[in-house]
């Protein structure tokens, strides 16, 4: 868990220029070309020298359409370190008493809450977007959850969008809760992209003290996840672990190793630098319970292996020497 950090004096570029509504898809094409070159060059990985045991949690969205409690049950049974709860329409996703009971029953801390800032949740708690974040903060404070995740605003959300960066900083200062703004992606319309988020779909260049990087969103946007985590430094608070092909306009949320994103290298670099955040698995899984559980187990093995958790077993004289078996040979 990452405690809230003071808002830094940042050198993030913000020139106040009016943002265009669309742009050519050249950024996405150039990113795909760069990715292709990286993969053809052999996709080198860092040697493992983890400086911290980074926890791996499960987002309740990874078990959709199953419910919140099923997410806790599976996470406990499989061996995750904690949970991220997607605050949504089901009552138990936004009831502190029920969430506390789940957390205690399954012995899993809630590492973060995801505020209902998604497009399909615009009707939850009314149309005032600040209310969605503020009510999520109140739940977090009651449960002593240190972080909430929020999407950047849609550009049509008026003053909420134009004042978002400053508003986030003010709420963090008032409540002592980290608001980790998540990277998103433009909506692609043929040869052009609709720039539907303000200030941008990529929060790494904005004046946020806390940021969540989602690897599936980076794939859809054509953004370089390795550059993003290096650019953020200690401002990176959470990593949403998922994969993507980058060849579609869809947000794929593939299990790590099933796309072409540098999932393995991202995990290794974070572990090697002693990153203080948490990894949250956020993948799309099958409605078939057996396949869903297998996907979650394989994804956790992947994460633990590339974070170097198996090296702790080696150092302690563990018998198996690793959580991930041969996952080190899986395409990142």
């Amino acid at each position: 868990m990452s405690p809230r950090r003071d808002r830094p004096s940042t050198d993030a570029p913000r020139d106040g220029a009016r943002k265009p509504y669309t742009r050519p898809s050249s950024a996405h094409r150039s990113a795909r070309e760069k990715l292709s070159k990286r993969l053809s060059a052999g996709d080198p990985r860092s040697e493992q020298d983890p400086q911290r045991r980074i926890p791996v949690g499960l987002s309740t969205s990874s078990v959709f359409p199953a419910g919140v409690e099923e997410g806790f049950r599976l996470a406990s049974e499989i061996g995750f370190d904690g949970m991220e709860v997607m605050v949504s329409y089901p009552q138990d996703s936004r009831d502190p008493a029920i969430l506390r009971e789940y957390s205690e029953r399954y012995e899993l801390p809630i590492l973060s809450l995801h505020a209902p800032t998604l497009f399909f949740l615009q009707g939850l708690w009314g149309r005032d977007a600040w209310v969605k974040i503020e009510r999520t903060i109140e739940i977090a404070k009651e449960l002593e959850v240190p972080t909430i995740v929020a999407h950047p605003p849609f550009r049509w959300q008026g003053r909420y969008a134009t004042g978002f960066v400053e508003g986030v900083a003010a709420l963090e200062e008032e409540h002592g809760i980290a608001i980790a703004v998540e990277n998103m992606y433009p909506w692609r319309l043929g040869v052009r992209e609709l720039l539907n988020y303000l200030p941008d779909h990529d929060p790494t260049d904005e004046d946020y003290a806390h940021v969540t990087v989602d690897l599936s969103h980076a794939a859809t946007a054509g953004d370089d996840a390795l550059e993003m985590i290096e650019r953020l430094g200690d401002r990176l608070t959470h990593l949403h672990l998922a994969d993507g092909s980058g060849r579609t306009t869809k947000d794929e949320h593939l299990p790590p190793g099933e796309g072409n994103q540098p999932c393995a290298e991202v995990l290794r670099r974070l572990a090697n630098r002693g990153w203080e955040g948490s990894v949250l698995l956020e993948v799309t899984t099958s409605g078939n319970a057996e396949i869903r559980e297998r996907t979650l187990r394989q994804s956790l093995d992947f994460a633990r292996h590339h974070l170097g958790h198996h090296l702790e077993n080696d150092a302690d004289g563990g018998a198996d020497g690793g959580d991930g078996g041969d996952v080190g040979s899986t395409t990142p």
Side-chain angles (χ1 to χ4, degrees):
M1 290 182 283
S2 296
R4 187 188 68 84
R5 289 182 292 275
D6 291 335
R7 189 186 191 201
S9 57
T10 181
D11 57 359
R14 300 188 64 219
D15 58 12
R18 187 174 183 85
K19 183 181 176 184
Y21 285 92
T22 67
R23 71 180 182 191
S25 294
S26 56
H28 184 256
R29 287 197 302 272
S30 63
R32 286 181 58 182
E33 291 170 0
K34 182 177 180 181
L35 176 63
S36 178
K37 290 179 181 178
R38 179 175 63 77
L39 293 174
S40 64
D43 193 28
R45 293 178 183 167
S46 300
E47 295 294 329
Q48 291 187 284
D49 183 24
Q51 302 301 302
R52 172 179 178 257
R53 188 185 191 279
I54 296 173
V56 183
L58 178 67
S59 168
T60 56
S61 63
S62 295
V63 303
F64 182 82
V68 174
E69 184 176 6
E70 178 65 1
F72 274 86
R73 185 193 70 79
L74 277 171
S76 177
E77 181 177 311
I78 293 170
F80 284 87
D81 298 314
M83 299 296 297
E84 177 170 290
V85 175
M86 173 66 74
V87 177
S88 186
Y89 291 111
Q91 180 64 28
D92 61 351
S93 74
R94 48 196 170 92
D95 186 314
I98 298 175
L99 290 175
R100 179 180 291 107
E101 197 274 328
Y102 289 166
S103 178
E104 293 173 352
R105 182 195 310 172
Y106 295 104
E107 299 181 326
L108 286 169
I110 301 175
L111 302 174
S112 52
L113 299 175
H114 197 308
T117 49
L118 286 70
F119 182 78
F120 74 91
L121 292 176
Q122 291 185 83
L124 181 62
W125 293 334
R127 295 291 180 177
D128 187 332
W130 282 123
V131 169
K132 301 178 192 298
I133 293 180
E134 290 165 353
R135 291 190 64 169
T136 305
I137 288 174
E138 292 306 315
I139 297 171
K141 290 170 69 175
E142 188 164 345
L143 295 174
E144 298 183 333
V145 175
T147 306
I148 73 167
V149 176
H151 289 183
F154 296 107
R155 67 183 307 150
W156 59 78
Q157 289 183 291
R159 285 182 293 177
Y160 169 71
T162 56
F164 185 71
V165 177
E166 293 76 12
V168 163
L171 287 174
E172 289 185 321
E173 181 66 26
E174 178 182 356
H175 297 286
I177 299 287
I179 302 174
V181 180
E182 185 174 1
N183 63 306
M184 295 301 292
Y185 47 88
W187 292 354
R188 202 159 296 113
L189 307 170
V191 298
R192 297 194 68 80
E193 294 175 343
L194 175 63
L195 303 180
N196 47 311
Y197 292 100
L198 283 179
D200 195 2
H201 74 274
D202 178 0
T204 62
D205 288 334
E206 297 301 325
D207 191 9
Y208 299 117
H210 306 89
V211 173
T212 295
V213 167
D214 183 301
L215 298 180
S216 176
H217 295 173
T220 305
D223 292 331
D224 187 321
L226 290 172
E227 289 184 357
M228 292 176 78
I229 65 168
E230 295 301 324
R231 199 156 58 235
L232 284 167
D234 290 341
R235 293 195 298 140
L236 178 65
T237 303
H238 277 336
L239 179 79
H240 278 172
L241 179 60
D243 213 332
S245 68
R247 301 188 185 97
T248 174
T249 59
K250 296 180 180 179
D251 180 16
E252 296 172 285
H253 281 278
L254 301 175
E258 294 191 7
N260 58 19
Q261 295 304 292
C263 299
E265 177 63 8
V266 165
L267 294 173
R268 288 173 180 237
R269 290 192 189 185
L270 293 177
N272 287 351
R273 80 185 196 197
W275 177 59
E276 292 295 325
S278 301
V279 171
L280 284 307
L281 182 70
E282 190 178 81
V283 295
T284 299
T285 56
S286 171
N288 179 286
E290 182 178 344
I291 298 174
R292 175 190 295 129
E293 181 173 342
R294 183 165 67 244
T295 298
L296 296 180
R297 287 186 182 277
Q298 291 173 344
S299 297
L300 179 59
D301 285 347
F302 183 102
R304 291 205 186 284
H305 180 86
H306 291 292
L307 288 171
H309 290 189
H310 61 294
L311 299 178
E312 299 170 4
N313 293 339
D314 288 346
D316 295 338
D320 60 1
D323 294 289
D326 62 356
V327 293
S329 63
T330 306
T331 301

